[in-house]
Amino acid sequence: MTGLTRRSFGAMILASSAAACAPRADIPSRDDYLEGYGPLPDSGYSLPGIPTEYLQGVNRRMTGFYNGEQGPNTLDIDPFAKFLYHIRADGTTTRYPVGVGRQGRSITGSATIRLKRKWPGWTPTQNMLRTEPEVYGPFAAGLPGGLRSPLGSRALYLYRGSRDTFYRIHGTNDLESIGNSGSAGCIRMFNQDIIHLYDQIEVPMQVHIRDRAESLRVDPENYERGIELPPKIIDPEELLGPEAEALDRPPVLDEA
């Protein structure tokens, strides 16, 4: 397995992006993880466990009966309460905590997941390159799937009809961002959670994104939970330099 060292753990980040991931963080050495959030071998990598301080209260995966307004076999995203619900045919749901960036609050209503990818690569959009060339210019050629990709271990791609919305549900190592809002990014999940969700769904799959009124109506207790985090910027050398390239390696994928 390829472990995430201090630098390679920090390499899965890119702030101020539509696919923002994480600030650097030390990998804890412990074995007191909550169920489902321990170290996880995946595609030739060894993902670190999630420290319990990031999983307090409602900020962790939970299963129960769904009390929202959407039908079965749907993902229901509440960007204001910072939750994603996978609604199953029997009326039960798994609720995942999420982090929400600027793009994650810019779309409401219905969409469809038409693609899902393990360890996906990332390329900034033309709009990102045009509006913030100083941030995205160094990454214009993109980053391959792996430890350096800001989309983390999995990504779900949302479409409206045949049009890509550029709205993504993806993994992150920005542990602090889960349950909070940021200046950038779409919908981010703990890597353990996006892997769990990825394995539960088939594409195409319907997605609903709540607007403010629906969030307040359905879940007033958690409406606008969390805080607004400041932007996190990383030196491109951390992702593009020779040391970052040497520490990264392609994932070992057994399926698409």
Side-chain angles (χ1 to χ4, degrees):
M1 292 291 179
T2 298
L4 294 183
T5 65
R6 178 184 175 88
R7 175 174 283 266
S8 62
F9 182 68
M12 285 178 60
I13 63 180
L14 188 59
S16 294
S17 81
C21 280
R24 285 175 294 175
D26 292 318
I27 300 172
S29 177
R30 62 180 74 190
D31 56 11
D32 58 341
Y33 299 105
L34 295 181
E35 183 178 357
Y37 290 103
L40 182 65
D42 185 78
S43 302
Y45 304 129
S46 182
L47 296 173
I50 308 298
T52 55
E53 54 261 39
Y54 297 105
L55 301 167
Q56 298 300 306
V58 298
N59 213 50
R60 56 185 172 178
R61 186 192 319 159
M62 297 181 181
T63 299
F65 285 99
Y66 176 70
N67 60 358
E69 300 179 346
Q70 304 308 309
N73 300 315
T74 302
L75 297 187
D76 186 11
I77 300 171
D78 190 330
F80 304 98
K82 319 301 188 304
F83 291 126
L84 181 152
Y85 299 82
H86 174 211
I87 312 161
R88 289 180 285 272
D90 63 359
T92 62
T93 186
T94 298
R95 186 183 72 184
Y96 304 87
V98 300
V100 181
R102 180 174 56 212
Q103 283 72 25
R105 289 170 286 180
S106 66
I107 181 174
T108 60
S110 298
T112 303
I113 297 172
R114 297 203 178 278
L115 295 172
K116 63 176 189 174
R117 293 286 184 265
K118 291 184 175 182
W119 291 98
W122 172 81
T123 301
T125 66
Q126 290 302 309
N127 183 61
M128 293 160 66
L129 292 168
R130 182 176 64 254
T131 58
E132 296 182 89
E134 71 285 358
V135 175
Y136 301 115
F139 305 101
L143 289 166
L147 299 181
R148 291 181 296 155
S149 172
L151 290 181
S153 61
R154 302 289 190 278
L156 310 176
Y157 299 75
L158 275 66
Y159 286 70
R160 281 181 166 161
S162 60
R163 181 178 64 85
D164 186 353
T165 66
F166 296 102
Y167 190 103
R168 310 288 188 246
I169 304 167
H170 64 87
T172 185
N173 278 327
D174 187 356
L175 307 183
E176 181 187 14
S177 75
I178 304 302
N180 294 308
S181 299
S183 64
C186 288
I187 297 296
R188 288 167 276 179
M189 302 175 70
F190 293 125
N191 277 313
Q192 280 82 346
D193 280 346
I194 189 66
I195 290 171
H196 184 272
L197 175 63
Y198 182 101
D199 290 341
Q200 303 299 310
I201 68 171
E202 300 290 339
V203 295
M205 185 167 197
Q206 292 300 115
V207 177
H208 175 78
I209 304 102
R210 297 179 186 178
D211 60 20
R212 286 184 178 273
E214 184 179 357
S215 175
L216 186 58
R217 181 174 65 249
V218 175
D219 192 4
E221 179 180 358
N222 291 300
Y223 178 73
E224 294 284 35
R225 81 179 180 101
I227 62 173
E228 185 82 16
L229 299 171
K232 301 184 179 82
I233 305 297
I234 184 172
D235 186 337
E237 185 72 11
E238 293 281 350
L239 294 173
L240 300 175
E243 185 175 353
E245 289 189 3
L247 286 169
D248 198 3
R249 68 175 66 177
V252 180
L253 302 178
D254 55 3
E255 59 184 68

